[in-house]
PDB file of all heavy atoms in Angstrom:
ATOM      1  N   PRO A  15      60.075  34.199  85.589  1.00 38.00           N
ATOM      2  CA  PRO A  15      59.126  33.827  84.540  1.00 38.00           C
ATOM      3  C   PRO A  15      59.115  32.318  84.332  1.00 38.00           C
ATOM      4  O   PRO A  15      60.151  31.653  84.414  1.00 38.00           O
ATOM      5  CB  PRO A  15      59.666  34.569  83.303  1.00 38.00           C
ATOM      6  CG  PRO A  15      60.514  35.677  83.848  1.00 38.00           C
ATOM      7  CD  PRO A  15      61.081  35.164  85.118  1.00 38.00           C
ATOM      8  N   LEU A  16      57.938  31.787  84.061  1.00 39.00           N
ATOM      9  CA  LEU A  16      57.821  30.355  83.809  1.00 39.00           C
ATOM     10  C   LEU A  16      58.506  29.967  82.514  1.00 39.00           C
ATOM     11  O   LEU A  16      58.971  28.858  82.347  1.00 39.00           O
ATOM     12  CB  LEU A  16      56.339  29.959  83.769  1.00 39.00           C
ATOM     13  CG  LEU A  16      55.591  30.101  85.098  1.00 39.00           C
ATOM     14  CD1 LEU A  16      54.116  29.746  84.892  1.00 39.00           C
ATOM     15  CD2 LEU A  16      56.196  29.210  86.173  1.00 39.00           C
ATOM     16  N   CYS A  17      58.526  30.890  81.558  1.00 43.00           N
ATOM     17  CA  CYS A  17      59.202  30.601  80.292  1.00 43.00           C
ATOM     18  C   CYS A  17      59.658  31.904  79.679  1.00 43.00           C
ATOM     19  O   CYS A  17      59.184  32.976  80.044  1.00 43.00           O
ATOM     20  CB  CYS A  17      58.283  29.861  79.325  1.00 43.00           C
ATOM     21  SG  CYS A  17      56.851  30.844  78.815  1.00 43.00           S
ATOM     22  N   CYS A  18      60.559  31.829  78.847  1.00 49.00           N
ATOM     23  CA  CYS A  18      61.020  33.045  78.170  1.00 49.00           C
ATOM     24  C   CYS A  18      61.502  32.665  76.778  1.00 49.00           C
ATOM     25  O   CYS A  18      61.962  31.562  76.541  1.00 49.00           O
ATOM     26  CB  CYS A  18      62.140  33.722  78.952  1.00 49.00           C
ATOM     27  SG  CYS A  18      63.567  32.656  79.271  1.00 49.00           S
ATOM     28  N   ASN A  19      61.388  33.605  75.851  1.00 60.00           N
ATOM     29  CA  ASN A  19      61.811  33.357  74.481  1.00 60.00           C
ATOM     30  C   ASN A  19      63.300  33.650  74.339  1.00 60.00           C
ATOM     31  O   ASN A  19      63.825  34.580  74.939  1.00 60.00           O
ATOM     32  CB  ASN A  19      61.019  34.255  73.523  1.00 60.00           C
ATOM     33  CG  ASN A  19      59.533  33.983  73.607  1.00 60.00           C
ATOM     34  OD1 ASN A  19      59.120  32.875  73.892  1.00 60.00           O
ATOM     35  ND2 ASN A  19      58.724  34.998  73.344  1.00 60.00           N
ATOM     36  N   ALA A  20      63.976  32.864  73.561  1.00 80.00           N
ATOM     37  CA  ALA A  20      65.396  33.089  73.287  1.00 80.00           C
ATOM     38  C   ALA A  20      65.583  33.151  71.785  1.00 80.00           C
ATOM     39  O   ALA A  20      64.949  32.398  71.046  1.00 80.00           O
ATOM     40  CB  ALA A  20      66.235  31.959  73.888  1.00 80.00           C
ATOM     41  N   VAL A  21      66.427  34.064  71.343  1.00 94.00           N
ATOM     42  CA  VAL A  21      66.646  34.189  69.904  1.00 94.00           C
ATOM     43  C   VAL A  21      67.300  32.922  69.370  1.00 94.00           C
ATOM     44  O   VAL A  21      68.038  32.240  70.075  1.00 94.00           O
ATOM     45  CB  VAL A  21      67.508  35.427  69.579  1.00 94.00           C
ATOM     46  CG1 VAL A  21      66.757  36.703  69.927  1.00 94.00           C
ATOM     47  CG2 VAL A  21      68.845  35.388  70.297  1.00 94.00           C
ATOM     48  N   GLU A  22      67.039  32.636  68.094  1.00 97.00           N
ATOM     49  CA  GLU A  22      67.508  31.394  67.480  1.00 97.00           C
ATOM     50  C   GLU A  22      68.138  31.669  66.115  1.00 97.00           C
ATOM     51  O   GLU A  22      67.868  32.690  65.479  1.00 97.00           O
ATOM     52  CB  GLU A  22      66.341  30.416  67.312  1.00 97.00           C
ATOM     53  CG  GLU A  22      65.652  29.996  68.597  1.00 97.00           C
ATOM     54  CD  GLU A  22      66.460  28.990  69.399  1.00 97.00           C
ATOM     55  OE1 GLU A  22      67.450  28.465  68.856  1.00 97.00           O
ATOM     56  OE2 GLU A  22      66.087  28.735  70.553  1.00 97.00           O
ATOM     57  N   LEU A  23      68.947  30.708  65.686  1.00 98.00           N
ATOM     58  CA  LEU A  23      69.503  30.701  64.339  1.00 98.00           C
ATOM     59  C   LEU A  23      68.738  29.643  63.550  1.00 98.00           C
ATOM     60  O   LEU A  23      68.798  28.459  63.876  1.00 98.00           O
ATOM     61  CB  LEU A  23      70.998  30.385  64.376  1.00 98.00           C
ATOM     62  CG  LEU A  23      71.715  30.136  63.050  1.00 98.00           C
ATOM     63  CD1 LEU A  23      71.510  31.298  62.090  1.00 98.00           C
ATOM     64  CD2 LEU A  23      73.201  29.899  63.289  1.00 98.00           C
ATOM     65  N   TYR A  24      68.010  30.080  62.528  1.00 98.00           N
ATOM     66  CA  TYR A  24      67.148  29.179  61.756  1.00 98.00           C
ATOM     67  C   TYR A  24      67.717  28.961  60.351  1.00 98.00           C
ATOM     68  O   TYR A  24      68.220  29.896  59.723  1.00 98.00           O
ATOM     69  CB  TYR A  24      65.751  29.774  61.613  1.00 98.00           C
ATOM     70  CG  TYR A  24      65.005  29.996  62.905  1.00 98.00           C
ATOM     71  CD1 TYR A  24      64.992  31.242  63.517  1.00 98.00           C
ATOM     72  CD2 TYR A  24      64.285  28.960  63.504  1.00 98.00           C
ATOM     73  CE1 TYR A  24      64.292  31.459  64.702  1.00 98.00           C
ATOM     74  CE2 TYR A  24      63.584  29.164  64.689  1.00 98.00           C
ATOM     75  CZ  TYR A  24      63.597  30.417  65.278  1.00 98.00           C
ATOM     76  OH  TYR A  24      62.903  30.619  66.444  1.00 98.00           O
ATOM     77  N   ASP A  25      67.571  27.720  59.845  1.00 97.00           N
ATOM     78  CA  ASP A  25      67.925  27.466  58.459  1.00 97.00           C
ATOM     79  C   ASP A  25      66.687  27.450  57.557  1.00 97.00           C
ATOM     80  O   ASP A  25      66.786  27.260  56.351  1.00 97.00           O
ATOM     81  CB  ASP A  25      68.730  26.175  58.296  1.00 97.00           C
ATOM     82  CG  ASP A  25      68.000  24.945  58.825  1.00 97.00           C
ATOM     83  OD1 ASP A  25      66.796  25.053  59.150  1.00 97.00           O
ATOM     84  OD2 ASP A  25      68.623  23.876  58.909  1.00 97.00           O
ATOM     85  N   HIS A  26      65.504  27.626  58.165  1.00 97.00           N
ATOM     86  CA  HIS A  26      64.248  27.796  57.441  1.00 97.00           C
ATOM     87  C   HIS A  26      63.418  28.831  58.190  1.00 97.00           C
ATOM     88  O   HIS A  26      63.755  29.209  59.315  1.00 97.00           O
ATOM     89  CB  HIS A  26      63.465  26.472  57.362  1.00 97.00           C
ATOM     90  CG  HIS A  26      64.048  25.469  56.414  1.00 97.00           C
ATOM     91  ND1 HIS A  26      65.127  24.682  56.749  1.00 97.00           N
ATOM     92  CD2 HIS A  26      63.726  25.146  55.153  1.00 97.00           C
ATOM     93  CE1 HIS A  26      65.440  23.902  55.722  1.00 97.00           C
ATOM     94  NE2 HIS A  26      64.595  24.161  54.742  1.00 97.00           N
ATOM     95  N   PHE A  27      62.347  29.264  57.597  1.00 98.00           N
ATOM     96  CA  PHE A  27      61.481  30.206  58.297  1.00 98.00           C
ATOM     97  C   PHE A  27      60.906  29.522  59.527  1.00 98.00           C
ATOM     98  O   PHE A  27      60.435  28.379  59.452  1.00 98.00           O
ATOM     99  CB  PHE A  27      60.345  30.674  57.379  1.00 98.00           C
ATOM    100  CG  PHE A  27      59.555  31.822  57.945  1.00 98.00           C
ATOM    101  CD1 PHE A  27      60.037  33.114  57.865  1.00 98.00           C
ATOM    102  CD2 PHE A  27      58.345  31.591  58.578  1.00 98.00           C
ATOM    103  CE1 PHE A  27      59.323  34.172  58.400  1.00 98.00           C
ATOM    104  CE2 PHE A  27      57.621  32.640  59.116  1.00 98.00           C
ATOM    105  CZ  PHE A  27      58.109  33.933  59.031  1.00 98.00           C
ATOM    106  N   PRO A  28      60.932  30.183  60.692  1.00 97.00           N
ATOM    107  CA  PRO A  28      60.493  29.542  61.931  1.00 97.00           C
ATOM    108  C   PRO A  28      59.006  29.207  61.951  1.00 97.00           C
ATOM    109  O   PRO A  28      58.179  29.933  61.394  1.00 97.00           O
ATOM    110  CB  PRO A  28      60.836  30.580  63.010  1.00 97.00           C
ATOM    111  CG  PRO A  28      60.885  31.887  62.280  1.00 97.00           C
ATOM    112  CD  PRO A  28      61.412  31.566  60.920  1.00 97.00           C
ATOM    113  N   ALA A  29      58.688  28.115  62.616  1.00 97.00           N
ATOM    114  CA  ALA A  29      57.291  27.694  62.740  1.00 97.00           C
ATOM    115  C   ALA A  29      56.519  28.613  63.668  1.00 97.00           C
ATOM    116  O   ALA A  29      55.312  28.789  63.519  1.00 97.00           O
ATOM    117  CB  ALA A  29      57.226  26.257  63.253  1.00 97.00           C
ATOM    118  N   VAL A  30      57.232  29.188  64.652  1.00 97.00           N
ATOM    119  CA  VAL A  30      56.612  30.103  65.610  1.00 97.00           C
ATOM    120  C   VAL A  30      57.343  31.437  65.552  1.00 97.00           C
ATOM    121  O   VAL A  30      58.574  31.482  65.610  1.00 97.00           O
ATOM    122  CB  VAL A  30      56.661  29.533  67.045  1.00 97.00           C
ATOM    123  CG1 VAL A  30      56.064  30.533  68.038  1.00 97.00           C
ATOM    124  CG2 VAL A  30      55.930  28.200  67.116  1.00 97.00           C
ATOM    125  N   VAL A  31      56.591  32.523  65.435  1.00 97.00           N
ATOM    126  CA  VAL A  31      57.159  33.873  65.391  1.00 97.00           C
ATOM    127  C   VAL A  31      56.767  34.602  66.663  1.00 97.00           C
ATOM    128  O   VAL A  31      55.611  34.559  67.090  1.00 97.00           O
ATOM    129  CB  VAL A  31      56.639  34.651  64.158  1.00 97.00           C
ATOM    130  CG1 VAL A  31      57.082  36.109  64.220  1.00 97.00           C
ATOM    131  CG2 VAL A  31      57.127  33.993  62.874  1.00 97.00           C
ATOM    132  N   HIS A  32      57.741  35.278  67.266  1.00 97.00           N
ATOM    133  CA  HIS A  32      57.491  36.047  68.486  1.00 97.00           C
ATOM    134  C   HIS A  32      57.470  37.534  68.132  1.00 97.00           C
ATOM    135  O   HIS A  32      58.480  38.097  67.700  1.00 97.00           O
ATOM    136  CB  HIS A  32      58.565  35.753  69.530  1.00 97.00           C
ATOM    137  CG  HIS A  32      58.650  34.305  69.903  1.00 97.00           C
ATOM    138  ND1 HIS A  32      57.692  33.690  70.688  1.00 97.00           N
ATOM    139  CD2 HIS A  32      59.550  33.345  69.571  1.00 97.00           C
ATOM    140  CE1 HIS A  32      58.010  32.416  70.851  1.00 97.00           C
ATOM    141  NE2 HIS A  32      59.132  32.178  70.182  1.00 97.00           N
ATOM    142  N   ALA A  33      56.343  38.163  68.333  1.00 97.00           N
ATOM    143  CA  ALA A  33      56.151  39.546  67.898  1.00 97.00           C
ATOM    144  C   ALA A  33      57.073  40.537  68.591  1.00 97.00           C
ATOM    145  O   ALA A  33      57.344  41.621  68.059  1.00 97.00           O
ATOM    146  CB  ALA A  33      54.693  39.959  68.113  1.00 97.00           C
ATOM    147  N   ASP A  34      57.560  40.181  69.783  1.00 96.00           N
ATOM    148  CA  ASP A  34      58.399  41.106  70.542  1.00 96.00           C
ATOM    149  C   ASP A  34      59.889  40.897  70.292  1.00 96.00           C
ATOM    150  O   ASP A  34      60.721  41.511  70.959  1.00 96.00           O
ATOM    151  CB  ASP A  34      58.102  40.973  72.037  1.00 96.00           C
ATOM    152  CG  ASP A  34      58.358  39.565  72.571  1.00 96.00           C
ATOM    153  OD1 ASP A  34      58.403  38.617  71.744  1.00 96.00           O
ATOM    154  OD2 ASP A  34      58.519  39.411  73.790  1.00 96.00           O
ATOM    155  N   GLU A  35      60.244  40.055  69.319  1.00 97.00           N
ATOM    156  CA  GLU A  35      61.651  39.801  69.030  1.00 97.00           C
ATOM    157  C   GLU A  35      62.067  40.421  67.698  1.00 97.00           C
ATOM    158  O   GLU A  35      61.242  40.889  66.923  1.00 97.00           O
ATOM    159  CB  GLU A  35      61.920  38.289  69.040  1.00 97.00           C
ATOM    160  CG  GLU A  35      61.730  37.684  70.425  1.00 97.00           C
ATOM    161  CD  GLU A  35      62.036  36.199  70.473  1.00 97.00           C
ATOM    162  OE1 GLU A  35      62.272  35.586  69.408  1.00 97.00           O
ATOM    163  OE2 GLU A  35      62.032  35.652  71.589  1.00 97.00           O
ATOM    164  N   ARG A  36      63.376  40.422  67.458  1.00 98.00           N
ATOM    165  CA  ARG A  36      63.952  41.029  66.253  1.00 98.00           C
ATOM    166  C   ARG A  36      64.310  39.921  65.263  1.00 98.00           C
ATOM    167  O   ARG A  36      64.740  38.836  65.660  1.00 98.00           O
ATOM    168  CB  ARG A  36      65.185  41.846  66.625  1.00 98.00           C
ATOM    169  CG  ARG A  36      64.905  42.919  67.665  1.00 98.00           C
ATOM    170  CD  ARG A  36      66.164  43.360  68.384  1.00 98.00           C
ATOM    171  NE  ARG A  36      67.121  43.952  67.466  1.00 98.00           N
ATOM    172  CZ  ARG A  36      68.453  43.854  67.606  1.00 98.00           C
ATOM    173  NH1 ARG A  36      68.972  43.145  68.592  1.00 98.00           N
ATOM    174  NH2 ARG A  36      69.245  44.432  66.736  1.00 98.00           N
ATOM    175  N   TYR A  37      64.181  40.230  63.966  1.00 98.00           N
ATOM    176  CA  TYR A  37      64.425  39.227  62.927  1.00 98.00           C
ATOM    177  C   TYR A  37      65.327  39.790  61.828  1.00 98.00           C
ATOM    178  O   TYR A  37      65.117  40.906  61.345  1.00 98.00           O
ATOM    179  CB  TYR A  37      63.102  38.750  62.325  1.00 98.00           C
ATOM    180  CG  TYR A  37      62.312  37.881  63.276  1.00 98.00           C
ATOM    181  CD1 TYR A  37      61.490  38.450  64.242  1.00 98.00           C
ATOM    182  CD2 TYR A  37      62.424  36.494  63.236  1.00 98.00           C
ATOM    183  CE1 TYR A  37      60.787  37.652  65.147  1.00 98.00           C
ATOM    184  CE2 TYR A  37      61.721  35.693  64.131  1.00 98.00           C
ATOM    185  CZ  TYR A  37      60.914  36.282  65.076  1.00 98.00           C
ATOM    186  OH  TYR A  37      60.217  35.498  65.973  1.00 98.00           O
ATOM    187  N   VAL A  38      66.316  38.986  61.457  1.00 98.00           N
ATOM    188  CA  VAL A  38      67.225  39.312  60.356  1.00 98.00           C
ATOM    189  C   VAL A  38      67.240  38.124  59.408  1.00 98.00           C
ATOM    190  O   VAL A  38      67.355  36.974  59.837  1.00 98.00           O
ATOM    191  CB  VAL A  38      68.654  39.598  60.871  1.00 98.00           C
ATOM    192  CG1 VAL A  38      69.614  39.814  59.697  1.00 98.00           C
ATOM    193  CG2 VAL A  38      68.656  40.813  61.802  1.00 98.00           C
ATOM    194  N   ILE A  39      67.107  38.392  58.117  1.00 98.00           N
ATOM    195  CA  ILE A  39      67.147  37.346  57.096  1.00 98.00           C
ATOM    196  C   ILE A  39      68.370  37.573  56.223  1.00 98.00           C
ATOM    197  O   ILE A  39      68.494  38.621  55.576  1.00 98.00           O
ATOM    198  CB  ILE A  39      65.871  37.342  56.235  1.00 98.00           C
ATOM    199  CG1 ILE A  39      64.626  37.148  57.117  1.00 98.00           C
ATOM    200  CG2 ILE A  39      65.946  36.252  55.163  1.00 98.00           C
ATOM    201  CD1 ILE A  39      63.311  37.306  56.367  1.00 98.00           C
ATOM    202  N   TYR A  40      69.303  36.612  56.220  1.00 98.00           N
ATOM    203  CA  TYR A  40      70.528  36.711  55.427  1.00 98.00           C
ATOM    204  C   TYR A  40      70.419  35.815  54.196  1.00 98.00           C
ATOM    205  O   TYR A  40      70.118  34.621  54.308  1.00 98.00           O
ATOM    206  CB  TYR A  40      71.743  36.286  56.260  1.00 98.00           C
ATOM    207  CG  TYR A  40      73.006  36.107  55.440  1.00 98.00           C
ATOM    208  CD1 TYR A  40      73.738  37.215  55.007  1.00 98.00           C
ATOM    209  CD2 TYR A  40      73.461  34.837  55.084  1.00 98.00           C
ATOM    210  CE1 TYR A  40      74.889  37.050  54.255  1.00 98.00           C
ATOM    211  CE2 TYR A  40      74.608  34.666  54.340  1.00 98.00           C
ATOM    212  CZ  TYR A  40      75.320  35.784  53.925  1.00 98.00           C
ATOM    213  OH  TYR A  40      76.457  35.615  53.165  1.00 98.00           O
ATOM    214  N   SER A  41      70.675  36.395  53.027  1.00 98.00           N
ATOM    215  CA  SER A  41      70.639  35.644  51.764  1.00 98.00           C
ATOM    216  C   SER A  41      72.052  35.585  51.178  1.00 98.00           C
ATOM    217  O   SER A  41      72.680  36.619  50.923  1.00 98.00           O
ATOM    218  CB  SER A  41      69.671  36.308  50.779  1.00 98.00           C
ATOM    219  OG  SER A  41      68.355  36.307  51.292  1.00 98.00           O
ATOM    220  N   HIS A  42      72.536  34.382  50.957  1.00 98.00           N
ATOM    221  CA  HIS A  42      73.915  34.146  50.533  1.00 98.00           C
ATOM    222  C   HIS A  42      74.124  34.370  49.035  1.00 98.00           C
ATOM    223  O   HIS A  42      73.183  34.606  48.276  1.00 98.00           O
ATOM    224  CB  HIS A  42      74.329  32.717  50.897  1.00 98.00           C
ATOM    225  CG  HIS A  42      73.449  31.657  50.280  1.00 98.00           C
ATOM    226  ND1 HIS A  42      73.444  31.379  48.940  1.00 98.00           N
ATOM    227  CD2 HIS A  42      72.545  30.807  50.844  1.00 98.00           C
ATOM    228  CE1 HIS A  42      72.593  30.408  48.682  1.00 98.00           C
ATOM    229  NE2 HIS A  42      72.015  30.041  49.840  1.00 98.00           N
ATOM    230  N   GLY A  43      75.368  34.246  48.614  1.00 98.00           N
ATOM    231  CA  GLY A  43      75.733  34.395  47.209  1.00 98.00           C
ATOM    232  C   GLY A  43      75.380  33.167  46.379  1.00 98.00           C
ATOM    233  O   GLY A  43      75.036  32.099  46.910  1.00 98.00           O
ATOM    234  N   LEU A  44      75.492  33.308  45.063  1.00 98.00           N
ATOM    235  CA  LEU A  44      75.083  32.264  44.120  1.00 98.00           C
ATOM    236  C   LEU A  44      75.817  30.947  44.337  1.00 98.00           C
ATOM    237  O   LEU A  44      75.225  29.869  44.232  1.00 98.00           O
ATOM    238  CB  LEU A  44      75.311  32.758  42.691  1.00 98.00           C
ATOM    239  CG  LEU A  44      74.987  31.773  41.565  1.00 98.00           C
ATOM    240  CD1 LEU A  44      73.499  31.428  41.572  1.00 98.00           C
ATOM    241  CD2 LEU A  44      75.398  32.356  40.208  1.00 98.00           C
ATOM    242  N   ILE A  45      77.094  30.999  44.662  1.00 98.00           N
ATOM    243  CA  ILE A  45      77.905  29.795  44.742  1.00 98.00           C
ATOM    244  C   ILE A  45      77.402  28.813  45.802  1.00 98.00           C
ATOM    245  O   ILE A  45      77.627  27.601  45.706  1.00 98.00           O
ATOM    246  CB  ILE A  45      79.391  30.162  45.020  1.00 98.00           C
ATOM    247  CG1 ILE A  45      80.285  28.925  44.859  1.00 98.00           C
ATOM    248  CG2 ILE A  45      79.561  30.797  46.380  1.00 98.00           C
ATOM    249  CD1 ILE A  45      81.772  29.228  44.967  1.00 98.00           C
TER     250      ILE A  45
END
Side-chain angles (χ1 to χ4, degrees):
L16 294 177
C17 64
C18 56
N19 300 330
V21 294
E22 299 285 349
L23 171 55
Y24 298 97
D25 58 10
H26 287 80
F27 190 80
V30 177
V31 172
H32 301 287
D34 60 341
E35 294 182 353
R36 303 159 62 213
Y37 288 84
V38 175
I39 302 173
Y40 169 77
S41 298
H42 58 70
L44 178 63
I45 190 174

